Amino acid sequence: MIFLNIKVFDTTLRDGEQTPGVSLTQQEKLRIATKLDEIGIDYIEAGSAITSKGERKSIKGIAQQGFNAEILSFSRPLSVDIDYCLECDVDGVNLVVPTSDLHISDKLKITRDELIQLSNNAVDYCKDHGLIVELSAEDASRSDTDFLKSVYLSAINHGADRICVCDTVGILTPDSSFELFDKLNEDINVPIAAHCHNDFGLAVANTLSALKGGATEFHSTINGIGERAGNTSFEECVVSIDRLLTNFSTNVNIHEIYDISKLVARSTGVYIQPNKAIVGENAFAHESGIHSDGIIKNSATYEPMTPELVGRKRKFVIGKHMGTHGLENRLKEIGLSVNKTQLQQICNDIKELADKGKTVTDVDLHVIADNVLEINHEDRIKLDELTIVSGNKIMPTASVKITFDDEEILNAGVGLGPVDAAINAVKTVDAFSDVELIEYHVDAITGGTDAFIDVIIKLQKGDKVVSARGTEPDIINASVKAYISGVNRLLRD
C-alpha cells in the first residue's frame, strides 16, 4: 500500500497563544518548540514577529536552535512585517492574505485587483530575501472560489512555495471541505494546507475531509487551543490519520502525544476537559461493569486504540457503575487479594457510598477494603497542631506540629492564602519533598456558613498517583488532613 505523507504545521505558539488569558514566556515557548521538534513536527510557526520586541526575541531564539523543523513567523503582506521576520532569522513566513469580499472591502477597504497586487508584492519581497513562503488565504471558506484560485495561482507564479486554505470562522462541513480542496487541487501544483477553526466543533472532521480532497498538510494546535472555540486539535487529527485514514501517515512520534499535551496544558494554564479525545483524563478510564469486564478480557472490546499508543495508561474508576471484575483488578493494583465474598461486600459498600452522591476516592476504597478485611494501617504522619494567622494586610502564615515516625516536628510556612500557607508548612517535612499536588477540588456538603467542606485532592510521587479526601467544617483543616492522608497512602505503597 502506498502511503501519502502528511505534513504537520504547528501553530500552538502563534494561533494557540491567542487563546484568551494565555501569554507564554520566552523559556516556555522554547521548551514547547523543542518538544515539537523532538516528536517530528514538520513546520513550527514560532509566533508573529510584528507583535513585540519580546516576541521577536522568542522567535529568534527558536530559529537559532538548529531544529529539523522549518521555523516560520506569521506575517501580513506588508514589508514592515516581513522585515521583522527577517530580523528573527526564520526559515519562512506564513503570509496571511484576506480573500473574502467581506474582508477585502470592509476590513482592508480595497478592490480584488489591489488585493492580488498586495499579495504578489509581498511574495516577491519574501522571495527576494530568501524566505520560504506559505501563502494563507484568510477567510478562504467564505471567498469566491474562482477568485480564491486566482489569488493562489498568481502567488505561485511569483514564487509561493505552498498555499493554505483558512476556514477562519469554522463554517465548513466535511462535505464542503472535501469539495473545496478537491476543486483547488485540480489546478494547483504546490502543496495545499488546511487551517480549520472549531466554532461548530468540526475542525478535525473538516481537516480529515480536506486531506481526502487533496490537502497534503494541515495546521493544528496542541490540545486544540486557540481563539474562540479553538483550532484543529493536533492530537485528535494525528491519531485519526494513524488509525482511521489507512493510506495516510505523518512524521509524528505518536507515543509522545500525551507528554506534549500535558506540557502545553501546564505552560498555558488551559484546562483539558476530562472527556477530551486522546488526552483527556477520562479518555482511557472505565467505570461501567460491562465495559471493565470486556476490557480485561480484550481491550479492543471498548477501546479503539490502546492507551500505550499515545503514551497513556488505562485506569478503572471506582464508582457505583463498576462491576466486580474492574474492582478486583483495582484491588490487585493496590496489593490486596480478596475472595469472592469479600469482593462482593467491598463492591456493595462502594455502591452505597456512591449512592449518597459522594466521590469514591482511593482513600475510600482503602478504608472500605480494610474494614472488610479487618486490616488496620498505622499512619506514619500525624497532624498534632495547626495555627493560621491571616488578615487584610498580613501575609498568610501557618505553623504546624507534626509527628513523623514518632519524631515531633515543628514547621512554619507562608502562602498566597491560608490554605496555601498551611500546605506549605506541612510540605517542608522530608516525606513531602517529592510529592506533587496535581489536583485540588472543594465541595460544600451542607448549606450555611457552618457547612461541612469536602476537600478532594490528587497527589503524585514518581509514577504513582493517589487521591485523598478530608471533610471538616474548616476548609484549612480539611485540606491539610486530605494532604497528609494522601502522603500516608503514598508512604504505605
Side-chain angles (χ1 to χ4, degrees):
M1 181 181 292
I2 298 175
F3 283 87
L4 178 62
N5 184 256
I6 302 300
K7 300 297 184 182
V8 181
F9 182 114
D10 185 88
T11 182
T12 302
L13 301 179
R14 199 272 300 176
D15 226 350
E17 195 189 19
Q18 290 175 199
T19 302
V22 172
S23 182
L24 297 167
T25 66
Q26 183 181 349
Q27 291 75 19
E28 288 169 335
K29 282 199 166 192
L30 180 58
R31 191 177 304 121
I32 291 171
T34 301
K35 189 64 176 179
L36 289 170
D37 187 63
E38 286 176 358
I39 69 173
I41 296 296
D42 302 285
Y43 311 126
I44 299 173
E45 188 174 27
S48 175
I50 190 66
T51 300
S52 67
K53 184 178 180 180
E55 181 82 343
R56 290 190 286 279
K57 187 176 180 181
S58 293
I59 296 170
K60 189 168 185 176
I62 292 169
Q64 292 177 335
Q65 296 302 311
F67 290 146
N68 293 320
E70 179 184 301
I71 307 302
L72 303 96
S73 170
F74 172 94
S75 175
R76 296 172 299 176
L78 303 172
S79 57
V80 62
D81 282 40
I82 299 165
D83 286 339
Y84 276 132
C85 294
L86 290 166
E87 183 183 309
C88 296
D89 297 331
V90 292
D91 301 310
V93 292
N94 177 26
L95 192 63
V96 180
V97 179
T99 55
S100 69
D101 288 333
L102 175 65
H103 280 236
I104 293 171
S105 61
D106 288 15
K107 187 174 78 171
L108 299 183
K109 299 188 183 301
I110 59 177
T111 66
R112 284 185 172 187
D113 288 341
E114 288 172 324
L115 184 281
I116 291 178
Q117 189 62 48
L118 182 68
S119 171
N120 291 342
N121 288 343
V123 174
D124 288 339
Y125 193 78
C126 290
K127 299 310 292 183
D128 288 344
H129 289 82
L131 290 169
I132 297 167
V133 175
E134 179 163 321
L135 185 85
S136 292
E138 184 180 15
D139 208 24
S141 53
R142 292 193 293 184
S143 301
D144 175 78
T145 306
D146 291 334
F147 173 68
L148 176 65
K149 189 179 292 188
S150 68
V151 173
Y152 286 142
L153 291 174
S154 186
I156 292 167
N157 288 336
H158 282 256
D161 301 277
R162 305 187 296 268
I163 61 104
C164 176
V165 177
C166 299
D167 184 20
T168 302
V169 291
I171 56 104
L172 287 175
T173 65
D175 286 344
S176 62
S177 177
F178 176 85
E179 291 168 4
L180 176 58
F181 281 86
D182 187 50
K183 187 172 183 179
L184 292 173
N185 198 45
E186 292 173 356
D187 301 307
I188 292 175
N189 58 5
V190 300
I192 305 175
H195 178 110
C196 296
H197 283 258
N198 204 40
D199 295 79
F200 289 88
L202 295 172
V204 171
N206 290 338
T207 299
L208 297 180
S209 288
L211 298 178
K212 289 184 176 181
T216 56
E217 173 193 330
F218 69 88
H219 291 202
S220 64
T221 60
I222 306 300
N223 300 331
I225 62 174
E227 290 184 286
R228 305 186 313 279
N231 292 42
T232 297
S233 165
F234 159 78
E235 55 283 348
E236 293 174 21
C237 215
V238 168
V239 175
S240 293
I241 291 170
D242 183 81
R243 298 282 95 178
L244 304 178
L245 303 186
T246 54
N247 59 331
F248 293 80
S249 66
T250 69
N251 297 322
V252 174
N253 180 358
I254 202 167
H255 303 293
E256 298 288 332
I257 281 180
Y258 186 59
D259 283 348
I260 194 164
S261 168
K262 298 296 285 185
L263 171 61
V264 170
R266 288 194 303 269
S267 300
T268 60
V270 178
Y271 172 72
I272 302 174
Q273 65 198 62
N275 63 324
K276 189 180 188 305
I278 315 299
V279 294
E281 285 306 303
N282 293 344
F284 297 96
H286 306 274
E287 181 182 329
S288 163
I290 295 172
H291 284 212
S292 298
D293 180 43
I295 288 292
I296 291 168
K297 292 173 179 174
N298 183 339
S299 64
T301 53
Y302 291 104
E303 287 178 346
M305 74 197 86
T306 62
E308 290 78 15
L309 177 74
V310 292
R312 303 289 308 273
K313 289 184 179 180
R314 180 182 302 111
K315 63 180 181 180
F316 294 99
V317 178
I318 308 163
K320 66 180 179 181
H321 300 105
M322 80 180 309
T324 54
H325 287 89
L327 176 58
E328 185 174 27
N329 191 77
R330 184 73 186 98
L331 289 169
K332 286 178 180 178
E333 287 179 358
I334 62 177
L336 294 177
S337 178
V338 297
N339 60 37
K340 287 186 178 181
T341 302
Q342 293 168 332
L343 178 64
Q344 189 59 59
Q345 183 59 54
I346 294 171
C347 188
N348 292 342
D349 290 349
I350 287 172
K351 290 178 184 289
E352 183 179 347
L353 182 63
D355 280 338
K356 295 176 181 177
K358 287 184 175 287
T359 300
V360 184
T361 69
D362 290 341
V363 172
D364 296 315
L365 175 61
H366 272 267
V367 171
I368 290 170
D370 289 352
N371 288 338
V372 171
L373 301 176
E374 297 182 349
I375 298 172
N376 292 313
H377 292 293
E378 184 66 29
D379 288 336
R380 294 178 60 187
I381 303 171
K382 295 177 182 177
L383 177 66
D384 299 319
E385 291 180 16
L386 170 63
T387 302
I388 301 290
V389 178
S390 183
N392 188 30
K393 295 183 179 181
I394 300 173
M395 171 74 75
T397 306
S399 61
V400 295
K401 183 167 78 171
I402 293 172
T403 302
F404 178 35
D405 287 343
D406 298 325
E407 179 186 355
E408 193 175 272
I409 300 171
L410 295 173
N411 274 323
V414 296
L416 298 176
V419 172
D420 189 40
I423 296 297
N424 287 338
V426 172
K427 282 168 64 175
T428 53
V429 179
D430 288 343
F432 297 77
S433 59
D434 56 351
V435 175
E436 181 184 1
L437 176 62
I438 58 175
E439 192 173 311
Y440 178 87
H441 181 75
V442 178
D443 277 324
I445 300 175
T446 58
T449 56
D450 59 347
F452 268 82
I453 304 299
D454 198 19
V455 175
I456 299 173
I457 65 171
K458 280 187 180 179
L459 301 176
Q460 182 168 0
K461 180 182 173 75
D463 60 356
K464 183 69 176 178
V465 177
V466 301
S467 57
R469 80 182 328 138
T471 304
E472 290 275 336
D474 186 299
I475 188 173
I476 304 170
N477 283 331
S479 300
V480 172
K481 286 186 176 181
Y483 194 85
I484 291 176
S485 174
V487 175
N488 274 316
R489 274 274 291 106
L490 287 169
L491 291 176
R492 284 203 298 271
D493 290 341

